Amino acid sequence: MTLLKPLALAALIAFSSAPFAQETLKIGALVTLSGAGAAWGTGMQHAAELAADDVNAKGGLDVGGKKYKVQVIAYDDKYQANEAVTVANRLVYDDKVKYIIGPVGSAPVLAIQPITEKNQVVVMTLGFTAKALGTDKLYTFRPNVTTAEVAGPQIEWVVKTRNVKRVGALFPNDETGQQIAKDLTTAYGKVGADLAAKEFFERDRVDFVPLITRILAAKVDAIELDGNSPSTAGLITKQARELGFTGTIIRTGGPATQDIVNVAGKQATEGLLVHTPIDPKLPSTAAYAQAYAAKYKRAMNGFSPAFYDGTHLLFEAMRKAGTVSDTAKVVAELEKIKGHKGALGESSWTGKAAYGVDHQLDAPFYVAEVKDGQEVIRARCTASGCK
């Protein structure tokens, strides 16, 4: 056996460590990994990891002449505001992150913003509340469309094509549920339908029979699932069908179809009308779904591509700003990005009219009908309408 001489050994070590030049960029994933919202949070965490894989496979993220290996640090907020605050403190003060993917919920994002905004930490949240974005929250972005963006065009299409007149709905009794109830009441009212019965409940509830019974007593011809976690929406669907409800079941926002089918079964979900932010046949979306399934051995949640694109938008903004540490410069570049081509197709930032800042992603979305457990797209939508 021939031993390498010291200089040759040193050169070999330097060569083997060259791709990342010893610089690490930490990205926090403050998401829900347990409980009813785990499907969303896991999809967001994996989205950030897949985006990190992309740049790491090329030798790292090239910013300002340096190469950074991207490391995703994930923590579970359990979809609770107090847990989210604990995790945010850990990420910001202990792990020293300047970028966070998450949180999932509205209450958690509102709870952590005093920490993240004060420390100029860029946040990519899923939280649906309108209060998440604003001129006083310049470091918060939302890379997914919400009920506020999709409800009008989708509900107009559903009411006109499916003759829906009276709707009942069950909402979580929190910031997310309250906001979605307001948005849906307005959207149904604008097109001549009536959100005639509303029930609010705590997120850990699993028996919905008493609430559904009251809704059915209001003689509704449709039940709305928007705002509920995938597993909760599945339970409501299953229990509504067991009570004999044969009308239309609608999910205006929040991709969750596969999880709903898994809980409720194919028979109970046949004909369900759902919002979906993705067209599985779009080549870029199909490629992402394939990569996700290859790594994690399961189908992605529909929100995941938005956070894959959101993480790549962050990387692009860092490259253009020439810094990973000066987040004010990164935010300035992030806001300028238009026509980004990612897993969702082509998207840009919008939102100034509604929120005062262009921190809301503008991307196409779809209405699908569930047939034999699978989504079949029935309408293609933008903010101006569905057809």
Side-chain angles (χ1 to χ4, degrees), residues 152 184-193:
L184 292 185
T185 300
T186 301
Y188 278 107
K190 278 185 177 178
V191 290

Side-chain angles (χ1 to χ4, degrees), residues 110-132:
L110 296 179
I112 71 164
Q113 283 177 318
I115 303 167
T116 55
E117 293 293 326
K118 175 185 175 184
N119 289 281
Q120 299 184 334
V121 173
V122 182
V123 169
M124 288 276 175
T125 185
L126 174 62
F128 270 36
T129 177
K131 299 174 186 173

Side-chain angles (χ1 to χ4, degrees), residues 306-371:
F307 288 85
Y308 174 78
D309 286 355
T311 308
H312 270 297
L313 285 164
L314 277 177
F315 294 157
E316 185 176 345
M318 291 177 208
R319 282 191 287 260
K320 289 182 174 179
T323 177
V324 299
S325 58
D326 189 340
T327 52
K329 289 183 179 178
V330 174
V331 164
E333 293 298 330
L334 187 57
E335 291 173 332
K336 296 176 188 175
I337 297 174
K338 302 291 183 187
H340 176 77
K341 293 179 180 176
L344 291 174
E346 188 169 307
S347 58
S348 300
W349 294 111
T350 185
K352 186 161 285 185
Y355 309 109
V357 287
D358 282 334
H359 288 194
Q360 169 64 53
L361 195 75
D362 181 15
F365 51 93
Y366 313 89
V367 181
E369 183 174 5
V370 178
K371 302 296 289 183

Side-chain angles (χ1 to χ4, degrees), residues 292-307:
Y292 190 104
K295 180 168 182 176
Y296 299 108
K297 312 304 179 192
R298 60 174 298 176
M300 67 179 184
N301 176 266
F303 276 132
S304 190
F307 288 85

Side-chain angles (χ1 to χ4, degrees), residues 41-284:
T42 303
M44 293 161 67
Q45 175 195 345
H46 292 169
E49 291 169 346
L50 285 167
D53 288 349
D54 291 343
V55 294
N56 289 341
K58 296 177 180 176
L61 181 66
D62 192 346
V63 178
K66 291 184 179 179
K67 288 277 192 177
Y68 293 87
K69 179 182 179 181
V70 179
Q71 176 188 4
V72 177
I73 303 172
Y75 293 121
D76 182 9
D77 72 356
K78 303 176 184 176
Y79 212 110
Q80 295 175 9
N82 59 336
E83 290 287 345
V85 169
T86 299
V87 171
N89 278 315
R90 189 180 306 164
L91 284 170
V92 173
Y93 296 113
D94 297 341
D95 298 315
K96 311 293 185 187
V97 306
K98 303 296 286 184
Y99 306 93
I100 290 176
I101 303 301
V104 172
S106 293
V109 71
L110 296 179
I112 71 164
Q113 283 177 318
I115 303 167
T116 55
E117 293 293 326
K118 175 185 175 184
N119 289 281
Q120 299 184 334
V121 173
V122 182
V123 169
M124 288 276 175
T125 185
L126 174 62
F128 270 36
T129 177
K131 299 174 186 173
L133 305 182
T135 55
D136 59 337
K137 296 169 179 176
L138 297 178
Y139 291 85
T140 304
F141 290 75
R142 187 161 51 207
N144 57 282
V145 292
T146 73
T147 299
E149 283 78 45
V150 308
Q154 285 188 193
I155 286 174
E156 181 179 21
W157 183 87
V158 168
V159 168
K160 285 183 176 178
T161 62
R162 304 304 169 103
N163 197 32
V164 170
K165 298 295 184 186
R166 288 176 62 81
V167 182
L170 300 92
F171 299 107
N173 189 24
D174 58 17
E175 177 69 25
T176 298
Q178 299 288 348
Q179 180 67 49
I180 290 176
K182 290 179 185 176
D183 291 338
L184 292 185
T185 300
T186 301
Y188 278 107
K190 278 185 177 178
V191 290
D194 182 15
L195 196 58
K198 288 175 273 191
E199 296 285 345
F200 292 86
F201 61 90
E202 301 307 313
R203 280 197 180 268
D204 56 357
R205 182 168 185 141
V206 294
D207 177 12
F208 298 95
V209 169
L211 308 184
I212 297 170
T213 301
R214 285 205 291 268
I215 283 177
L216 298 186
K219 306 295 183 186
V220 301
D221 48 30
I223 291 178
E224 172 69 67
L225 300 174
D226 193 7
N228 293 291
S229 73
S231 58
T232 299
L235 287 173
I236 293 171
T237 299
K238 183 174 185 289
Q239 292 172 22
R241 293 303 190 206
E242 288 173 347
L243 286 171
F245 179 68
T246 58
T248 305
I249 298 181
I250 305 164
R251 185 172 176 86
T252 293
T257 300
Q258 190 57 57
D259 301 282
I260 296 172
V261 172
N262 291 345
V263 172
K266 289 183 180 179
Q267 185 174 355
T269 53
E270 187 70 10
L272 196 72
L273 293 176
V274 298
H275 161 83
T276 176
I278 60 170
D279 176 358
K281 294 182 178 178
L282 193 68
S284 59

